[in-house]
């Protein structure tokens, strides 16, 4: 005799999704169209996704719409997720961010033209970085951003959280376009260094 | 190395390019290994940026219900079998199997196209007439409000698909073409269509040796391994 909860059509007895399951396994269950896995994934990341969307869009209704679209997108695209390319969390948040920018610029979702992940392109030191990235806390990322030269941090934040284009940022910062590109590039490379374990120790002290 | 457009990698990963620039850089990425590597490395850093959101906020409670309902709706048409059931393939195919001997003439295609898509008829006609003139094998596909043909040119490897009158699909959906031999469908390519547009595309394989073709609606952007969605066009292929 099954517990009464299993009488609900929502439950598929052969697939047990629980709170301890790793993100990768949850996403694999989503790829098999298991609604219980979707609930688990949503509950894990709803706050982070909604907060990111709200930060970029500054509009609660738009933020809700984007989060909903992003999770539906996860449901559809889970079979194409590549665990070796990015963590489930990163993958989900990049979908949320893309949808935010689409909404902000009032454009339709752009189909992915270049499938970098498909060619198994990884950066040098990808595995090391992956471990770093998976263990990072919000505090560590914020601290590292705070250690960037001000103009680099500003260029990155105006783009990522402000949703501005490089041209708009150049106008805002009153510098040539080339300078903006350089600041973004140097800032991102520096951020990567700052988040490596050795430097992280130093800046957190 | 930092000359345009190589210097677009950082704004690209931060989504700070406008659409034209992004399209240009997408194209550039297909040709430049150095930029591909830079994009991959920079994107890994960008992926941790959301953690830096300073104010964490709980979304409204009803969002959860709406997301789960939206996902449940995705299930409806249809219940995404891993492999198509025999019933899926048999449903609606018989008339075409039975009519496998129907030979298709350009005139026939014309009348269909002119009735249903006056705006798109001429481009479609020209393509079909050209195909027939070169001795290609042309097989029609039928569906409600839409028409299509599979063209297998002589001496060319892959088949072409000509499709007219398909409606635009909602975000996240694509049309997928299938060729079938016996009961085993294989994908022949994925495409999108704006409303009523005539689409010509190269199938990802030759049509030779298959006896049926169909176009279904599938989840984008990559389509499905096996057909899961509703059939919008179907027809027999000439031997």
């Amino acid at each position: 005799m099954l517990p009464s909860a299993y009488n609900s059509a929502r439950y598929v007895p052969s697939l047990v999704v629980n709170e301890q399951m790793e993100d990768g396994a949850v996403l694999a269950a989503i790829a098999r169209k298991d609604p219980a896995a979707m609930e688990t994934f949503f509950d894990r990341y709803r706050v982070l996704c909604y907060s990111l969307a709200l930060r970029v869009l500054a509009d609660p209704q738009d933020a809700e719409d984007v989060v909903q679209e992003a999770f539906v997108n996860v449901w559809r695209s889970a079979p194409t997720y590549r665990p070796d390319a990015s963590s489930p969390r990163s993958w989900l948040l990049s979908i949320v961010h893309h949808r935010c920018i689409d909404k902000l610029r009032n454009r339709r979702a752009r189909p992915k033209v270049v499938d970098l992940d498909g060619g198994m392109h990884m950066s040098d030191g990808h595995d090391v970085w992956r471990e770093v990235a998976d263990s990072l806390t919000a505090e560590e990322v914020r601290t590292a951003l705070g250690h960037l030269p001000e103009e680099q941090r500003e260029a990155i934040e105006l783009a990522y959280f402000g949703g501005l284009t490089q041209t708009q940022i150049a106008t805002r910062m009153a510098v040539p376009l080339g300078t903006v590109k350089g600041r973004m590039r140097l800032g991102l490379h520096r951020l990567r260094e700052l988040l490596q374990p050795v430097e992280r120790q130093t800046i957190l002290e | 190395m930092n000359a345009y457009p190589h210097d677009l990698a950082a704004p690209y990963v931060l989504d700070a390019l406008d659409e034209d620039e992004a399209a240009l850089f997408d194209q550039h990425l297909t040709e430049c290994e150095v930029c591909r590597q830079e994009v991959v490395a920079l994107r890994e850093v960008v992926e941790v940026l959301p953690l830096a959101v300073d104010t964490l906020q709980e979304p409204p409670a009803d969002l959860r219900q709406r997301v789960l309902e939206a996902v449940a709706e995705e299930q409806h048409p249809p219940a995404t079998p891993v492999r198509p059931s025999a019933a899926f393939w048999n449903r609606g195919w018989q008339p075409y199997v039975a009519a496998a001997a129907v030979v298709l003439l350009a005139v026939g295609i014309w009348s269909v196209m002119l009735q249903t898509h006056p705006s798109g008829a001429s481009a479609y006609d020209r393509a079909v007439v050209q195909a027939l003139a070169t001795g290609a094998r042309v097989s029609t596909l039928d569906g409600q409000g839409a028409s299509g043909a599979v063209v297998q040119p002589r001496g060319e490897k892959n088949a072409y698909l000509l499709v007219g009158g398909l409606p635009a699909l909602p975000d996240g959906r694509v049309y997928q073409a299938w060729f079938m031999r016996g009961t085993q469908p294989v994908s022949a390519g994925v495409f999108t269509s704006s409303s009523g547009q005539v689409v010509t595309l190269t199938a990802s394989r030759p049509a030779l040796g298959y006896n049926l073709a169909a176009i279904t609606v599938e989840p984008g952007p990559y389509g499905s391994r096996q057909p899961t969605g509703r059939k919008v066009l179907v027809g027999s292929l000439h031997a």
Side-chain angles (χ1 to χ4, degrees), chain B residues 93-171:
Chain B
W93 287 96
Q94 284 90 341
Y96 303 98
V97 179
V102 171
V103 175
L104 195 268
L105 298 170
V107 175
I109 301 170
W110 268 341
S111 60
V112 171
M113 289 306 294
L114 290 167
Q115 276 162 21
T116 50
H117 324 288
S119 61
S122 63
Y124 184 94
D125 291 346
R126 276 201 299 278
V128 170
V129 170
Q130 271 172 14
L132 286 168
T134 61
R137 290 169 187 165
V138 180
S139 317
T140 43
L141 308 178
D142 291 323
Q144 218 163 25
S147 303
V150 176
V151 178
Q152 180 64 60
R154 272 189 206 287
E156 268 186 61
K157 193 156 160 274
N158 287 353
Y160 295 95
L161 292 164
L162 288 171
V163 182
L166 287 178
L169 290 172
D171 277 3

Side-chain angles (χ1 to χ4, degrees), chain A residues 70-84:
Chain A
F71 276 98
V72 171
N73 196 322
V74 164
W75 179 257
R76 289 177 188 158
S77 314
T80 67
Y81 162 73
R82 293 170 185 276
D84 41 9

Side-chain angles (χ1 to χ4, degrees), chain A residues 59-189:
Chain A
D59 179 295
Q61 188 56 54
D62 284 351
E64 279 184 57
D65 289 348
V66 157
V67 171
Q68 178 172 336
E69 287 164 17
F71 276 98
V72 171
N73 196 322
V74 164
W75 179 257
R76 289 177 188 158
S77 314
T80 67
Y81 162 73
R82 293 170 185 276
D84 41 9
S86 59
S87 70
R89 182 179 71 183
S90 295
W91 184 65
L92 168 66
L93 289 167
S94 70
I95 293 173
V96 172
H97 189 258
H98 278 300
R99 302 297 307 188
C100 285
I101 299 294
D102 287 342
K103 187 143 217 137
L104 210 55
R105 304 205 187 135
N106 199 17
R107 67 186 193 197
R108 281 170 62 84
R110 201 157 52 92
K112 197 160 136 191
V113 178
V114 186
D115 183 16
L116 291 170
D117 301 339
M120 300 289 287
H121 296 279
M122 304 296 153
S123 67
D124 294 341
H126 172 79
D127 291 342
V128 178
W129 172 258
R130 192 50 199 281
E131 265 184 49
V132 168
D134 284 352
S135 68
L136 281 177
T137 64
E139 187 55 35
E140 287 170 323
V141 179
R142 265 181 241 142
T143 306
L145 271 171
H147 273 73
L148 289 183
E150 177 62 22
E151 69 280 4
Q152 293 176 11
R153 184 187 58 74
E154 198 184 349
I156 289 171
E157 290 191 348
L158 283 173
Y160 192 81
F161 292 114
L164 299 187
T165 65
Q166 55 171 359
T167 314
Q168 291 168 326
I169 296 169
T171 308
R172 174 82 70 96
M173 298 180 86
V175 294
L177 190 56
T179 308
V180 172
K181 295 181 212 173
R183 286 176 180 176
M184 289 174 173
R185 181 170 183 276
L186 291 173
L188 288 175
H189 279 295

